[in-house]
Amino acid sequence: MNDSISLKLHTLVIFRNILKDNVISSLLSLSDASSGDKVALADAYSAFAASVYEAGGNFSQHLLKLVLEDENVYTDSIIKGCGDASLLGAQLKNELTSLSEIALFDGSEYASALPGTALAHWNTEKIDFASVYTERMKNISKTGVGIFSKYNVFLLDETGALVPVKNPDTQSLEDLYGYEAEKKKVIANTLALIEGGPANNVLLYGDAGTGKSSTVKAVANRYADSGLRLIEVKKNRLHLLPSLLDELSENPLKFILFIDDLTFASDDKDFTALKAILEGGVNSRGSNVLIYATTNHRHLVRETSSDRVGDEISIGDKLQETLSLSARFGLIITFLRPDKELYTDIVCRLADKAGIVMDRDTLITMAEAHAIRSGGRNPRTAKQFIDLLSSEVL
């Protein structure tokens, strides 16, 4: 029915990736459907409408989203400085003009071909794709392209590929009570990374449950719109970091490689991999990447009695090696277990936020008892206590 749309889509070069999208492939099927077979035509029309509904109901906005998030030869030319700028620019202009026209497709022309049927409708709107796309490219260092424009948090899988976290922890700094000085240091260092200033790899050291990991996640959430992305790396995948660093080196975004609960055995091969990166070896990180690690162990390497076997010189060298890794983090921030006053303040503020109405002395007494049963005072224990109160378990 609509040869014009089909031809415009099939002649895409820069944005050819969008042809793989379910909505666009359904539109192509509809465009190619024969008007002579009413049932097949109605089926193709309804299949397209269903795909638009699943994408939010606005075809124009969905098409724009595909275009803005697409990683292609033009975005590579901006990021990597490759390709013929004039040639790509001319093709880009033509394709964006075509896509602006396609975005107005409302299916109205099919009403006459399928008389007597209650055809579905979807929303469209007039959008200047060229103007919006140009503005997006100006802010590519904040918005990113490809999966980095869709997601803010990633995991490094066992093959070295980045897997987006579709439902990440929504932890915010405003929900983390106490440890203001510690959080301030993490924020300042992160802002230095974002702004292109001198920034350090960070080791967050301290007692369990004091908010080290939550602080990293909360900072990443706050500055996601400023071009910051968080990549969590399991300790047993540190040997994959050199390839990841190569991949990220030309990306316009900023990245925190997050290693949670970091400790090593003295003969761990991943110890050497991380040490080389922190030292600035051949595969050292780029200026757009920092490593943030948390640990409960000040020196990161668990020492055994066998590490003290040998002559005095070799023992000294071995011990010095095991103690050296933490010193290679430019910034070490200590999260100590809170005293009673800080713990009480955290409990009371969490209770106020949760809307718990209770005599203050009773609340504190119950919180102290819960801390004793749970292994001591810390923000995690306080949060668990308030959750139990809110759910009326206590």
Side-chain angles (χ1 to χ4, degrees):
M1 282 291 293
N2 200 320
D3 293 336
S4 174
I5 287 180
S6 182
L7 285 173
K8 287 175 181 177
L9 288 172
H10 279 299
T11 53
L12 291 176
V13 176
I14 293 176
F15 295 106
R16 197 158 192 82
N17 290 331
I18 72 172
L19 300 182
K20 302 173 185 176
D21 177 71
N22 183 49
V23 173
I24 303 304
S25 62
S26 295
L27 178 57
L28 284 172
S29 297
L30 173 58
S31 299
D32 296 338
S34 171
S35 59
D37 187 339
K38 304 297 183 183
V39 173
L41 184 61
D43 186 61
Y45 182 97
S46 298
F48 172 70
S51 68
V52 174
Y53 285 6
E54 291 174 359
N58 189 312
F59 173 60
S60 306
Q61 286 293 337
H62 178 70
L63 183 56
L64 178 64
K65 184 173 183 289
L66 292 178
V67 169
L68 294 179
E69 293 178 349
D70 187 49
E71 186 173 4
N72 52 57
V73 64
Y74 182 78
T75 59
D76 283 348
S77 73
I78 294 176
I79 295 171
K80 302 176 184 178
C82 59
D84 186 321
S86 60
L87 184 65
L88 288 172
Q91 181 64 25
L92 177 72
K93 181 179 179 180
N94 292 335
E95 293 191 15
L96 290 174
T97 298
S98 294
L99 290 165
S100 293
E101 296 168 354
I102 293 171
L104 294 173
F105 173 68
D106 60 7
S108 57
E109 64 192 76
Y110 287 87
S112 59
L114 297 168
T117 57
L119 295 178
H121 299 283
W122 52 87
N123 295 323
T124 61
E125 58 188 280
K126 187 174 183 179
I127 302 174
D128 184 348
F129 275 51
S131 176
V132 177
Y133 192 77
T134 299
E135 189 63 27
R136 170 60 73 93
M137 291 302 102
K138 288 180 182 178
N139 294 298
I140 197 171
S141 62
K142 293 183 179 179
T143 59
V145 295
I147 61 171
F148 295 115
S149 64
K150 301 177 186 178
Y151 305 100
N152 300 326
V153 181
F154 303 84
L155 296 174
L156 186 69
D157 72 11
E158 64 276 3
T159 68
L162 289 178
V163 179
V165 177
K166 297 182 179 179
N167 296 293
D169 189 341
T170 57
Q171 182 73 68
S172 70
L173 286 168
E174 290 71 24
D175 292 334
L176 298 177
Y177 302 125
Y179 300 91
E180 299 304 325
E182 291 83 355
K183 289 186 293 186
K184 186 176 180 180
K185 291 179 182 179
V186 179
I187 291 171
N189 192 71
T190 304
L191 284 175
L193 168 68
I194 293 171
E195 295 167 1
N200 292 283
N201 296 312
V202 181
L203 179 65
L204 296 88
Y205 157 73
D207 297 301
T210 50
K212 301 182 297 295
S213 300
S214 295
T215 296
V216 175
K217 294 175 183 178
V219 168
N221 288 337
R222 171 174 286 187
Y223 297 108
D225 290 341
S226 298
L228 182 65
R229 301 293 182 265
L230 184 71
I231 301 174
E232 185 167 353
V233 182
K234 302 296 184 185
K235 188 188 72 68
N236 61 358
R237 294 171 188 167
L238 293 178
H239 63 281
L240 299 172
L241 284 183
S243 295
L244 176 62
L245 292 172
D246 285 343
E247 179 183 339
L248 300 178
S249 63
E250 294 181 319
N251 198 297
L253 297 172
K254 309 296 184 181
F255 297 90
I256 290 176
L257 305 186
F258 177 44
I259 311 168
D260 200 16
D261 194 20
L262 181 63
T263 54
F264 294 102
S266 59
D267 58 349
D268 198 324
K269 65 178 181 180
D270 289 305
F271 170 90
T272 303
L274 180 57
K275 181 183 173 187
I277 292 169
L278 292 173
E279 284 181 331
V282 174
N283 290 109
S284 62
R285 62 180 177 83
S287 59
N288 65 329
V289 181
L290 287 179
I291 295 174
Y292 283 18
T294 69
T295 186
N296 300 336
H297 303 276
R298 179 64 174 82
H299 295 301
L300 299 180
V301 181
R302 296 188 300 272
E303 184 185 348
T304 65
S305 58
S306 63
D307 294 322
R308 295 184 175 273
V309 176
D311 59 65
E312 186 175 340
I313 295 177
S314 64
I315 292 174
D317 290 342
K318 185 182 295 185
L319 293 180
Q320 185 61 37
E321 176 78 1
T322 63
L323 297 176
S324 66
L325 184 60
S326 60
R328 285 173 168 76
F329 286 88
L331 178 60
I332 299 176
I333 304 174
T334 304
F335 285 68
L336 297 175
R337 188 183 296 271
D339 57 20
K340 182 176 181 179
E341 181 180 357
L342 177 56
Y343 177 71
T344 297
D345 180 60
I346 293 172
V347 168
C348 291
R349 292 172 69 178
L350 287 171
D352 289 342
K353 182 181 178 182
I356 295 174
V357 179
M358 180 182 290
D359 174 73
R360 181 181 172 87
D361 291 338
T362 302
L363 178 69
I364 294 172
T365 299
M366 292 180 66
E368 283 290 319
H370 179 76
I372 293 172
R373 292 193 301 270
S374 304
R377 305 184 187 103
N378 60 55
R380 182 187 298 161
T381 300
K383 179 66 167 59
Q384 291 170 346
F385 168 67
I386 295 301
D387 287 344
L388 290 171
L389 276 182
S390 298
S391 60
E392 299 183 353
V393 173
L394 293 179

